[in-house]
Amino acid sequence: MVSAVVPVGESKRLQGKHFLSIDNKSIVDFLGERIVESKLFKKIYVYSTKKIVFEWGETIFDNEKKGVLYVLTKSMNIIDDDIFFIGADMPFFDKFSAEKIIEKFNDRSIIPKWKNGYVEPLFSLYHRSIKSFGVLNGSISEFLNRIDKVFINADDLNPLTFVKITTVIDYRIAKNIWKN
């Protein structure tokens, strides 16, 4: 088993998006409950720039407001484990999709990739060997080019898994998905 890391940071386009409420739950709590219910991970961490306690995961507080690559590599240097990185703005965590990624895991990171070449680094399983890169800040795309990885076809996974809430329109769409 591996550990899950959910990064909760600052959003430039939709302030406080992780704490927007749908059906009396914040987006991040809805996601956290789904991760817990999956029983796929030995430990769940919430990497946050805010001092917040979540019932479903252990909070790693860091007041550095840096990008995704920083959070990923810093997490890897704090947690001595392989990490399934799950975007906190992607509330439709799907156990089936996570299992498909975990099944492919061996000694290299597993990254979903669409037929058009777009990759999904925020729903990926990273091998602990990336710890050797140290803590980085910069382009996640450039980093992915440097690591030992295997791509898994994202088209074989549940497409709702990759719904991200980054704008007000995304939030409205997610609320409609939740209703159905």
Side-chain angles (χ1 to χ4, degrees):
M1 287 181 82
V2 298
S3 295
V5 173
V6 179
V8 177
E10 302 292 320
S11 174
K12 293 176 184 161
R13 289 183 276 181
L14 184 59
Q15 296 294 314
K17 67 182 177 182
H18 305 107
F19 304 101
L20 293 173
S21 180
I22 301 174
D23 289 338
N24 299 317
K25 288 183 189 171
S26 69
I27 290 168
V28 71
D29 282 330
F30 183 81
L31 170 63
E33 287 177 10
R34 293 179 78 137
I35 294 170
V36 169
E37 289 169 4
S38 77
K39 297 181 180 173
L40 292 174
F41 307 102
K42 68 179 176 187
K43 191 137 188 187
I44 303 167
Y45 297 91
V46 182
Y47 196 104
S48 180
T49 56
K50 299 178 188 299
K51 291 184 180 179
I52 298 171
V53 175
F54 295 91
E55 291 179 17
W56 49 268
E58 180 182 323
T59 303
I60 299 171
F61 172 72
D62 187 346
N63 61 2
E64 292 288 330
K65 295 180 175 136
K66 297 190 177 181
V68 170
L69 181 58
Y70 171 83
V71 173
L72 172 62
T73 55
K74 181 85 182 251
S75 298
M76 191 59 79
N77 280 273
I78 294 170
I79 304 162
D80 190 28
D81 200 359
D82 303 306
I83 291 177
F84 202 117
F85 208 59
I86 305 164
D89 58 356
M90 298 167 62
F92 301 113
F93 174 85
D94 178 65
K95 181 179 179 179
F96 167 79
S97 297
E99 285 174 328
K100 287 200 80 137
I101 291 172
I102 292 168
E103 283 171 10
K104 299 282 184 191
F105 189 65
N106 193 355
D107 59 350
R108 297 189 285 176
S109 299
I110 307 294
I111 316 292
K113 184 176 184 178
W114 297 97
K115 288 178 185 169
N116 66 4
Y118 184 79
V119 295
E120 296 286 355
L122 295 183
F123 194 80
S124 294
L125 179 50
Y126 294 92
H127 189 270
R128 67 184 73 210
S129 63
I130 70 166
K131 188 175 186 173
S132 65
F133 286 91
V135 178
L136 303 172
N137 195 25
S139 167
I140 188 85
S141 298
E142 290 175 17
F143 176 71
L144 292 178
N145 288 333
R146 296 171 52 198
I147 67 171
D148 194 14
K149 72 207 160 283
V150 172
F151 291 113
I152 184 172
N153 188 349
D155 294 291
D156 293 338
L157 306 176
N158 183 339
L160 286 179
T161 300
F162 304 107
V163 172
K164 295 175 184 75
I165 299 174
T166 57
T167 66
V168 173
I169 292 170
D170 296 337
Y171 177 54
R172 289 182 187 142
I173 291 168
K175 283 170 59 173
N176 286 330
I177 292 170
W178 253 303
K179 289 177 186 174
N180 300 325

